Amino acid sequence: MKIIDCHIHFADHSGFEATAREAGHLNSTAHLKEEFQRHGIVMAVAMGTGSHNEEPGVSIPMTINLGGTFRLDHWTQPGFICYCCGVESRTLTPGNIAASLPLYEEHLKSPHCVGLKLYPGYNQIYLNDPLHHPFYELAEKYNVPVVIHTGDTAGHRGVLKYSHPLTVDEVAVNFPRVRFVMAHYGNPWIVDATEVAAKNPNVSIDLSGLAIGNFDPDWFWTHYHGYLDHLQTWITYLSDYDRLLYGSDWPLVNLGAYLEIIRRLIPEEFHGKVFFENAVRTFPRLGALLPS
Ligand SMILES: [Zn+2]
């Protein structure tokens, strides 16, 4: 089965080396390429991360760089990677938004930029803040989804009220022609995230980040049976397998172990949709980047 991983991180970031090792991986392009080939992963959507904001008076888009220095004029990252341009919302102000938007728009003109990524919990700004509205308008103009980090934040500096999945409801209603993707299923607010997706046809869910590290899938399945039962209950309640996307959150988790858990969680008849087809539909630019 061909797989698209809709949520990875692809950054030459010192903290990711130890994180990758804990997950049984190496944070390198060569290692990732090997692992992708082994598991049939043909493409991954990498989330722009890391602060690159060195210029005063403007908000700088967040990109990816494990494949070398990121360049907009030609693609320096591997062919099996595309990206969502990250918005570091805390650097946006009413005074710099006009100067900042063209920088984001430059990314959206690139065929490898398949979406925008917002981190409201880390940036402590609500999704419905007017500073975010022009980004939803850009997403609509360029026909790309807005991926939102929802649920728990890594580390203690995030503020959860901003990343709660219920905050997606309001922007989904106010921007009905924009597709929103709730990353990490709003975990642990699975019930709330399910309701937001059930109510709003323009909201999808990515299944990344529901486990981290390296583990034996059988052990995980037994040890966390209550958690996995809960997930399965609400996935079944939603029963809309067109709106669930496979993602791992590499390098935070072992790819083989995580694939096995999600394979068990999703009824087999929907694997084609969840592991591949939904990604192509949700990220309309992705199809053109797939290997022939
Ligand atoms: Zn992530």
Side-chain angles (χ1 to χ4, degrees), residues 72-274:
L72 256 179
D73 56 345
H74 79 262
W75 189 242
T76 53
Q77 311 301 313
F80 57 88
I81 300 279
C82 54
Y83 74 108
C84 285
C85 182
V87 181
E88 197 169 23
S89 308
R90 74 163 80 92
T91 65
L92 293 168
T93 66
N96 74 14
I97 186 99
S100 303
L101 287 171
L103 304 181
Y104 290 91
E105 197 160 2
E106 277 306 303
H107 283 272
L108 291 170
K109 288 174 183 163
S110 157
H112 292 92
C113 179
V114 300
L116 292 172
K117 173 77 189 283
L118 296 182
Y119 299 88
Y122 297 102
N123 287 279
Q124 304 187 15
I125 300 183
Y126 277 120
L127 288 174
N128 68 347
D129 191 290
L131 285 170
H132 283 145
H133 292 184
F135 292 92
Y136 307 140
E137 286 156 10
L138 279 180
E140 183 181 342
K141 178 178 172 188
Y142 286 92
N143 191 27
V144 297
V146 178
V147 181
I148 298 157
H149 177 103
T150 58
D152 187 28
T153 52
H156 54 265
R157 281 183 303 186
V159 174
L160 298 173
K161 68 175 181 179
Y162 299 105
S163 61
H164 194 287
L166 274 183
T167 60
V168 178
D169 183 47
E170 192 170 0
V171 289
V173 169
N174 291 337
F175 295 89
R177 289 177 299 278
V178 177
R179 174 141 305 272
F180 295 93
V181 178
M182 293 188 287
H184 319 305
Y185 206 156
N187 193 34
W189 294 286
I190 302 295
V191 182
D192 305 71
T194 303
E195 171 54 19
V196 172
K199 172 180 167 286
N200 298 295
N202 56 330
V203 175
S204 299
I205 291 167
D206 101 23
L207 300 170
S208 69
L210 302 174
I212 56 166
N214 197 3
F215 45 81
D216 168 43
D218 287 330
W219 171 84
F220 192 92
W221 196 258
T222 308
H223 186 75
Y224 287 108
H225 68 96
Y227 170 52
L228 295 165
D229 278 354
H230 181 69
L231 278 166
Q232 224 160 19
T233 297
W234 290 96
I235 286 171
T236 308
Y237 177 92
L238 180 65
S239 276
D240 188 347
Y241 294 93
D242 288 341
R243 288 200 278 144
L244 299 176
L245 303 161
Y246 174 72
S248 64
D249 218 9
W250 187 87
L252 278 75
V253 73
N254 183 270
L255 291 179
Y258 200 68
L259 273 167
E260 182 56 27
I261 293 297
I262 305 297
R263 272 194 194 108
R264 292 187 194 185
L265 210 50
I266 301 296
E268 202 172 344
E269 62 198 293
F270 302 115
H271 282 188
K273 289 183 171 191
V274 174

Side-chain angles (χ1 to χ4, degrees), residues 22-63:
E22 277 166 37
H25 289 304
L26 296 171
N27 192 40
S28 79
T29 300
H31 174 81
L32 189 62
K33 187 177 178 189
E34 253 171 51
E35 288 291 296
F36 274 16
Q37 278 170 352
R38 196 150 73 89
H39 295 294
I41 301 167
V42 295
M43 178 63 67
V45 183
M47 300 297 153
T49 44
S51 171
H52 303 290
N53 226 72
E54 285 140 18
E55 282 181 55
V58 79
S59 167
I60 306 291
M62 296 194 291
T63 59

